[in-house]
Amino acid sequence: MLTIRAANDTDFPGIWTIFQQVVAAGDSYAYGAKTTRQEARRIWTAAPAVAHVAEEGDRVVGTYTLKPNQPGLGDHVANCAYMTHPDARGRGIGGAMCEHSLAAARERGYTAMQFNFVVASNESAIRLWQKHGFAVVGRVPGVFRHRLLGPTDVLIMHRTL
Amino acid sequence: MLTIRAANDTDFPGIWTIFQQVVAAGDSYAYGAKTTRQEARRIWTAAPAVAHVAEEGDRVVGTYTLKPNQPGLGDHVANCAYMTHPDARGRGIGGAMCEHSLAAARERGYTAMQFNFVVASNESAIRLWQKHGFAVVGRVPGVFRHRLLGPTDVLIMHRTL
């Protein structure tokens, strides 16, 4: 049974475990493998970002963070980043978090959501976001140094809410 | 005679004057009209951003800030933002700052430059960036609330260095 909810301070150890493993792979996020716990905490949980966790029982198996993609005249557009624990993949947790984040974004008054950095080699993620209504609106050449593939394109994806 | 150089602390009053006027127009940057001096200082000058000024005599007529567009595995790509004093437009200051920023980015080891938020109605800026080698690699619908035009598309532009 998967529960998704806003995170509190006591959830950070579980978030940090996932963050470290996802970042160490070097295949989906720009954050370097040496990102510190303090930096990760700021990136993922500091206002205006609102962190969420996906739990199975008392175990954090996924996390997402929701924030405005821009300040001021761009703050009607949300940005969201998702991470699933490597041991918990293939069970629909990413999709469930995406659905939850779309509802959370609507509740907060956002009228669209934008992803700025979807690594082009991450085909399962791209299919998932497309399934959840996102369209590719841009492709930037070689701006991600994939740990295994080297310079890799990044997609910008967008949907209205 | 236009001089472009890295900014120091004593340049901030001149930068702030320009920042306020550009932001008040609500036609090119997302920063809200109520952005405080302290926020502007952080946005424009706090590391890893490196602020620069364009001077005519001892008057700051333009400013740009150069920083990595992403952390870690994306930090080979620079991001740059430029502002020209409204009274000093049409004299090539934006183009001179762009050339200077491309050289400054190369010196710092960046291999590309990306703009994330070029307002689609800002046709003179788009032409200028194209003239300086940037290509449009994405267009995001309605993500800028232009003060006069309402929801307006934003372009992503990129060039290698």
Side-chain angles (χ1 to χ4, degrees), chain A residues 23 26-27 29-33 43 69-77 112 114 116-117 137-147 151 156-158 160, chain B residues 23 26-27 29-33 43 69-77 112 114 116-117 137-147 151 156-158 160:
Chain A
V23 163
D27 59 1
Y29 278 88
Y31 308 121
I43 290 164
N69 195 48
Q70 293 286 340
L73 303 178
D75 69 0
H76 58 299
V77 182
Q114 180 177 338
N116 305 300
F117 208 81
V137 295
R139 184 181 187 110
V140 203
V143 293
F144 178 63
R145 301 195 307 276
H146 191 292
R147 190 173 65 89
I156 292 108
M157 301 186 75
H158 173 274
T160 52
Chain B
V23 162
D27 59 0
Y29 278 88
Y31 308 122
I43 290 164
N69 195 48
Q70 293 286 340
L73 303 178
D75 69 0
H76 56 300
V77 182
Q114 180 176 338
N116 304 301
F117 208 81
V137 295
R139 184 179 187 112
V140 202
V143 294
F144 178 63
R145 302 195 306 278
H146 190 293
R147 190 173 64 89
I156 293 108
M157 301 185 75
H158 172 274
T160 53

Side-chain angles (χ1 to χ4, degrees), chain B residues 87-105:
Chain B
D87 297 347
R89 293 207 178 130
R91 305 213 300 260
I93 294 168
M97 288 196 294
C98 186
E99 277 305 305
H100 193 277
S101 71
L102 294 170

